[in-house]
Structure formats: C-alpha cells, structure tokens
Amino acid sequence: MARRKKIYEGKAKILYEGPEPGTIVQYFKDDATAFNAEKKAVIEGKGVLNNRLSEFFMTGLAQIGVPNHFIKRLNMREQLVRSAEIVPLEIIVRNYAAGTMSKRLGLEEGTQLPRPIVEYCYKDDSLGDPLVTEEHIAAFGWASQQDMDDILSLALRVNDFLSGVMMAVGIRLVDFKIEVGRVYDGDFQRLIVADEISPDSCRLWDIETGQKLDKDVFRRDLGSLTDAYTEVAQRLGVMPRKATPVSKPTLIN
Ligand code: C5P
C-alpha cells in the first residue's frame, strides 16, 4: 500500500491526505502538551479516547444541525473529516471563570459568569495564541463581519449542546475551545466546526465533587489523565464500564 501523504503534524494530531478530494484523515496521537508545549508527555490511550469522544460530540452536533467536519471514524485512532480552511482563531466559550480568565481578571476559579463569554485568540504558537479583539480580527482580515456573526452563533450553539450533554451525566462544562473552517459548496462559502472537541479542549468538572476530568489533570499534575478521560467516556456511554467482577457461584447444601 502506498504511504499516505502527511499534510500537517500538530501537538496532538496528524493530518493525512484523505482517500477522496476534499477529505482528510485525522490521526489522534497520545502526546499531551501544556503551556505551549513547555510540558510534554505521552499518555497511553489518550488518542483513542479523544478520537471516540470527538466523534461522539461532532455526531451529536450534526444531529441538531450544527455543521462540522466529521464524516466517519475509520479506526481506533483515525477519523475521516472534511477538509476546511481553518480560520486562524481559537474560539473560547466560558460559563464559569477558570484558567487564564481567572488569572487575567482576578476571579476565583468556578465563579459563575453572568452569561457565556466568548473570547478569541489568534492561532500562533510562536506568540502563545494571544487574546485578540474583533477589531484585530477585522483589521487584519482574519475573518469578515459575516464570519464573526456565524462564528458567534456556532460557538453558542456548541455551548448549549455540550453543556446539556455534560449536565445529563453530572459534569459541569466550565469552558471549551473550538476551531472553525471554511468550506465551499459551489459558489457558496460557509463555516463549520473543525479540529476536535474532547477533554483536551474543554474544562469538565464533576458537578458533585468538583473533580477535574479534563486536561488540567495533566497541566496541574492531579493524577491519571487516562482515568479522567475514561470516566467522561464511560459516563457518556462512549466506552463500556468495566464489568464488575462476578463472585464465583457457591454450592448451597
Ligand atoms: O487556558 P485557558 O483558560 O484560556 O483555556 C480556556 C479553554 O480553552 C480550556 O478549556 C482549554 O482547555 C481550551 N484551550 C485549548 N487550546 C488552547 C487554549 C485553550 O483547547 N490553545
């Protein structure tokens, strides 16, 4: 079999040319990075979990009419996605203060925000993905006003969907990041959700205990990342729970 053409290798994924024009194979690596790749590790099984979880979220989003790049899962670590021209923005939606927002504004982590707040960061690792305003985005031509309206609507719909899905399994969606890409249908251009949606790009806290079930477990050395992601996958029914050991039958005299 001919070797596939690698298009791009990022911190957590590799993109290969897909079998049909306009498709891409997205391979989920086990690599975990934090703080702009200053902290690195290989976490066995992370890629498999994120492949399954991203499939689950993207499929659910498609079912409620939120357009996204997912076509089908190919195997444990790979999915076929629609190729899209990625808008160079990281779109962050926050329901509760945490992470950089808590630091920047001196808000205690977990403070409920008056409404979901959408932030934009310019996607550039060498600059550490700086926070930018809509003024920067318009002035530098990263996205048009129409794009920004569409991006806001996509981000808020993803937030409503994910918040509900998570709440149903006892998990609080604190914040998350999405990326969007442009696709062309004939003369028409539209934006779709791309990249991935997984515990790598969300903050997920157990509603009862506050236990972190996302990449902060790795960033802050809070235990096993695989256990945390497995817990999310099991609660969502994406991975089966381990069968509880059945005790041996005993003879009744
Ligand atoms: O670090 P910060 O608090 O700004 O992150 C907000 C949310 O966006 C978190 O859920 C984090 O996992 C996600 N994020 C991401 N990729 C980045 C930056 C943030 O997935 N490069």
Side-chain angles (χ1 to χ4, degrees), residues 11 90 92 94 98-101 104 119 129 175-177 199-203 215 219:
K11 287 174 279 191
E90 305 216 318
I92 295 172
R94 301 180 186 269
T100 57
M101 174 184 248
R104 205 179 320 116
E119 295 177 346
D129 302 331
D175 58 30
F176 66 93
K177 182 239 9 177
D200 266 9
S201 51
C202 301
R203 280 200 175 88
K215 204 162 111 181
R219 293 187 188 102

Short mmCIF file of all heavy atoms in Angstrom, two decimals, residues 11 90 92 94 98-101 104 119 129 175-177 199-203 215 219, ligand 1:
data_model
loop_
_atom_site.label_atom_id
_atom_site.label_comp_id
_atom_site.label_asym_id
_atom_site.label_seq_id
_atom_site.Cartn_x
_atom_site.Cartn_y
_atom_site.Cartn_z
N LYS A 11 0.48 19.27 17.75
CA LYS A 11 0.90 18.75 19.04
C LYS A 11 0.16 17.46 19.41
O LYS A 11 0.74 16.58 20.01
CB LYS A 11 0.69 19.83 20.12
CG LYS A 11 1.73 20.96 20.01
CD LYS A 11 1.46 22.09 20.96
CE LYS A 11 0.41 23.01 20.41
NZ LYS A 11 0.27 24.28 21.14
N GLU A 90 -8.69 30.75 17.83
CA GLU A 90 -9.18 29.78 18.80
C GLU A 90 -10.37 30.46 19.44
O GLU A 90 -10.24 31.58 19.97
CB GLU A 90 -8.11 29.49 19.84
CG GLU A 90 -6.82 29.04 19.18
CD GLU A 90 -6.09 27.98 19.95
OE1 GLU A 90 -6.03 28.10 21.17
OE2 GLU A 90 -5.60 27.04 19.31
N ILE A 92 -13.00 30.58 22.27
CA ILE A 92 -13.17 30.04 23.63
C ILE A 92 -14.51 30.51 24.17
O ILE A 92 -14.84 31.69 24.06
CB ILE A 92 -12.01 30.50 24.54
CG1 ILE A 92 -10.70 29.89 24.05
CG2 ILE A 92 -12.27 30.13 26.01
CD1 ILE A 92 -9.46 30.39 24.74
N ARG A 94 -16.78 30.52 27.70
CA ARG A 94 -16.65 30.28 29.14
C ARG A 94 -17.98 30.47 29.83
O ARG A 94 -18.67 31.47 29.61
CB ARG A 94 -15.66 31.29 29.75
CG ARG A 94 -14.27 31.21 29.12
CD ARG A 94 -13.35 32.23 29.78
NE ARG A 94 -12.05 32.28 29.12
CZ ARG A 94 -11.00 31.55 29.46
NH1 ARG A 94 -11.08 30.69 30.46
NH2 ARG A 94 -9.85 31.68 28.82
N ALA A 98 -12.18 30.36 34.98
CA ALA A 98 -11.11 29.37 35.24
C ALA A 98 -9.92 29.78 34.38
O ALA A 98 -10.03 30.68 33.53
CB ALA A 98 -11.55 27.95 34.90
N GLY A 99 -8.81 29.11 34.62
CA GLY A 99 -7.65 29.26 33.75
C GLY A 99 -7.21 30.70 33.55
O GLY A 99 -7.13 31.48 34.50
N THR A 100 -6.96 31.04 32.29
CA THR A 100 -6.38 32.37 32.01
C THR A 100 -7.37 33.50 32.34
O THR A 100 -6.94 34.60 32.67
CB THR A 100 -5.93 32.50 30.53
OG1 THR A 100 -7.05 32.24 29.69
CG2 THR A 100 -4.80 31.55 30.19
N MET A 101 -8.68 33.23 32.26
CA MET A 101 -9.62 34.31 32.60
C MET A 101 -9.55 34.63 34.09
O MET A 101 -9.57 35.80 34.49
CB MET A 101 -11.06 33.93 32.24
CG MET A 101 -12.03 34.99 32.73
SD MET A 101 -13.73 34.58 32.45
CE MET A 101 -14.12 35.80 31.24
N ARG A 104 -6.33 36.58 34.57
CA ARG A 104 -6.36 37.91 33.96
C ARG A 104 -7.25 38.86 34.76
O ARG A 104 -6.93 40.03 34.94
CB ARG A 104 -6.89 37.79 32.53
CG ARG A 104 -6.46 38.90 31.62
CD ARG A 104 -6.98 38.72 30.18
NE ARG A 104 -6.93 37.35 29.70
CZ ARG A 104 -8.01 36.63 29.37
NH1 ARG A 104 -9.22 37.14 29.48
NH2 ARG A 104 -7.89 35.41 28.92
N GLU A 119 -14.44 34.42 23.80
CA GLU A 119 -13.16 35.11 23.59
C GLU A 119 -12.51 34.57 22.32
O GLU A 119 -12.74 33.43 21.94
CB GLU A 119 -12.19 34.82 24.76
CG GLU A 119 -12.61 35.33 26.09
CD GLU A 119 -11.65 34.93 27.20
OE1 GLU A 119 -10.78 34.04 26.99
OE2 GLU A 119 -11.76 35.51 28.29
N ASP A 129 -0.59 32.07 21.22
CA ASP A 129 -2.03 32.26 20.95
C ASP A 129 -2.62 33.45 21.74
O ASP A 129 -3.45 33.26 22.64
CB ASP A 129 -2.84 30.99 21.30
CG ASP A 129 -2.36 29.78 20.53
OD1 ASP A 129 -1.85 29.93 19.40
OD2 ASP A 129 -2.51 28.65 21.05
N ASP A 175 -15.62 25.56 30.48
CA ASP A 175 -15.25 26.32 29.27
C ASP A 175 -14.78 25.34 28.20
O ASP A 175 -14.62 24.14 28.47
CB ASP A 175 -14.17 27.38 29.57
CG ASP A 175 -12.89 26.81 30.17
OD1 ASP A 175 -12.56 25.64 29.86
OD2 ASP A 175 -12.22 27.50 30.94
N PHE A 176 -14.60 25.82 27.01
CA PHE A 176 -14.05 24.98 25.93
C PHE A 176 -13.55 25.86 24.82
O PHE A 176 -13.82 27.06 24.77
CB PHE A 176 -15.11 24.00 25.39
CG PHE A 176 -16.26 24.68 24.68
CD1 PHE A 176 -16.24 24.89 23.31
CD2 PHE A 176 -17.36 25.13 25.40
CE1 PHE A 176 -17.30 25.52 22.65
CE2 PHE A 176 -18.43 25.76 24.75
CZ PHE A 176 -18.39 25.96 23.38
N LYS A 177 -12.79 25.21 23.93
CA LYS A 177 -12.26 25.91 22.76
C LYS A 177 -12.71 25.17 21.50
O LYS A 177 -12.69 23.92 21.48
CB LYS A 177 -10.73 25.90 22.82
CG LYS A 177 -10.07 26.61 21.71
CD LYS A 177 -9.12 25.89 20.80
CE LYS A 177 -8.91 24.46 20.78
NZ LYS A 177 -7.99 23.96 19.76
N PRO A 199 -11.82 16.25 25.91
CA PRO A 199 -11.40 16.82 27.20
C PRO A 199 -10.04 17.54 27.12
O PRO A 199 -9.64 18.20 28.07
CB PRO A 199 -11.31 15.60 28.13
CG PRO A 199 -12.13 14.55 27.48
CD PRO A 199 -12.01 14.78 26.01
N ASP A 200 -9.35 17.42 25.96
CA ASP A 200 -8.13 18.22 25.76
C ASP A 200 -8.48 19.69 25.59
O ASP A 200 -7.65 20.56 25.84
CB ASP A 200 -7.41 17.78 24.46
CG ASP A 200 -6.33 16.74 24.71
OD1 ASP A 200 -6.24 16.23 25.85
OD2 ASP A 200 -5.58 16.44 23.76
N SER A 201 -9.68 19.96 25.09
CA SER A 201 -10.01 21.34 24.74
C SER A 201 -11.21 21.89 25.53
O SER A 201 -11.77 22.92 25.18
CB SER A 201 -10.30 21.43 23.24
OG SER A 201 -11.24 20.46 22.86
N CYS A 202 -11.59 21.16 26.59
CA CYS A 202 -12.71 21.61 27.45
C CYS A 202 -12.25 21.60 28.90
O CYS A 202 -11.34 20.85 29.24
CB CYS A 202 -13.88 20.64 27.39
SG CYS A 202 -14.59 20.35 25.78
N ARG A 203 -12.92 22.35 29.75
CA ARG A 203 -12.78 22.12 31.20
C ARG A 203 -14.06 21.47 31.68
O ARG A 203 -15.16 22.00 31.46
CB ARG A 203 -12.55 23.43 31.96
CG ARG A 203 -11.12 23.90 31.90
CD ARG A 203 -10.74 24.88 33.00
NE ARG A 203 -9.30 25.16 32.91
CZ ARG A 203 -8.79 26.12 32.17
NH1 ARG A 203 -9.58 26.93 31.47
NH2 ARG A 203 -7.49 26.29 32.12
N LYS A 215 -7.98 18.22 30.69
CA LYS A 215 -6.51 18.32 30.55
C LYS A 215 -5.84 19.03 31.73
O LYS A 215 -4.62 18.92 31.90
CB LYS A 215 -6.14 18.99 29.23
CG LYS A 215 -4.75 18.60 28.77
CD LYS A 215 -4.52 18.89 27.31
CE LYS A 215 -3.56 20.01 27.14
NZ LYS A 215 -3.35 20.31 25.71
N ARG A 219 -2.05 19.30 33.18
CA ARG A 219 -1.39 20.60 33.37
C ARG A 219 -0.97 20.79 34.83
O ARG A 219 0.08 21.33 35.11
CB ARG A 219 -2.35 21.74 33.00
CG ARG A 219 -2.72 21.84 31.54
CD ARG A 219 -3.53 23.12 31.28
NE ARG A 219 -4.08 23.18 29.95
CZ ARG A 219 -5.37 22.93 29.66
NH1 ARG A 219 -6.23 22.62 30.62
NH2 ARG A 219 -5.80 23.01 28.42
O1 C5P B 1 -6.12 28.41 29.18
P1 C5P B 1 -7.50 28.99 29.11
O2 C5P B 1 -8.15 29.20 30.43
O3 C5P B 1 -7.55 30.25 28.26
O4 C5P B 1 -8.36 27.91 28.30
C1 C5P B 1 -9.75 28.04 28.10
C2 C5P B 1 -10.27 26.75 27.46
O5 C5P B 1 -9.77 26.62 26.14
C3 C5P B 1 -9.83 25.49 28.21
O6 C5P B 1 -10.89 24.55 28.16
C4 C5P B 1 -8.64 24.99 27.42
O7 C5P B 1 -8.52 23.58 27.50
C5 C5P B 1 -9.01 25.42 26.00
N1 C5P B 1 -7.82 25.75 25.20
C6 C5P B 1 -7.43 24.88 24.19
N2 C5P B 1 -6.32 25.17 23.42
C7 C5P B 1 -5.63 26.29 23.62
C8 C5P B 1 -6.01 27.19 24.65
C9 C5P B 1 -7.11 26.88 25.43
O8 C5P B 1 -8.07 23.86 23.97
N3 C5P B 1 -4.57 26.55 22.86
#
